[in-house]
Every structure is written in structure tokens, then in C-alpha cells.
Amino acid sequence: MSKVNIKPLADRVLVEAAAAEEKTASGIIIPDTAKEKPQKGKVIAVGTGKKDEPLTVKEGDEVLYGKYAGTEITVEGKEYLIMRESDIFAIV
């Protein structure tokens, strides 16, 4: 797991998106222009949660999130998403 010097606030979660699919199930190679944005990733850091609502995800969890969820940020050359915990649909 990568260590990042970012600590999300409140109910925010820092997620490293999984790599986009390179091939289809039948073996067809997908060009860069046709790749879909991944909707799965690994939680890298979590905030402290709200006073009445503790966070249910923790560092290292694999999660599914919405296609347009979060804000993309780049730290030390790596791309991450920072989003609210409510944008996460499931822990895989």
C-alpha cells in the first residue's frame, strides 16, 4: 500500500483508482481513447468522520464508487480521487 502525506478531513476518503481494463474478456485490446474510467479502487487514507457518523471504510479496503465521484488530484506524480464516504457504494 502506498503512503501519502495527505490526511482527508471529516468524512472524506482518498482512493487510488484501479487501472483501466487493457483487454476485453474475448481478448480484444482496448485503445486509450475508448477506455472507461475505472469505478473501483483502493482506499489509501481516511478522515476522522463526523461527530455523529463514524466512517465504515478503512485504509486498504477495495471499494466501488460512482463513475463521476470525487475530485481528481495528483500527488508526487500519482493520481488519486478524494471523495465523501457517501460517494462509495460498496466494499469489495
Side-chain angles (χ1 to χ4, degrees):
M1 183 166 31
S2 21
K3 266 299 193 198
V4 179
N5 291 332
I6 294 179
K7 180 69 175 166
L9 299 176
D11 65 338
R12 307 273 184 194
V13 178
L14 185 70
V15 176
E16 183 177 12
E21 293 293 323
E22 300 286 328
K23 289 183 180 181
T24 64
S26 60
I28 298 172
I29 297 174
I30 302 171
D32 289 339
T33 56
K35 289 182 184 172
E36 286 194 27
K37 187 175 172 184
Q39 294 176 298
K40 183 177 181 182
K42 180 181 259 186
V43 175
I44 302 299
V46 296
T48 56
K50 292 184 178 177
K51 185 177 181 181
D52 301 338
E53 301 173 27
L55 292 177
T56 55
V57 297
K58 60 186 181 302
E59 291 180 18
D61 284 349
E62 291 283 330
V63 294
L64 298 176
Y65 51 86
K67 185 176 270 192
Y68 302 107
T71 302
E72 295 178 356
I73 60 171
T74 303
V75 178
E76 298 173 4
K78 290 187 88 174
E79 293 193 12
Y80 299 96
L81 290 168
I82 192 160
M83 64 182 72
R84 292 189 183 277
E85 186 189 35
S86 61
D87 292 336
I88 296 174
F89 298 140
I91 299 173
V92 181

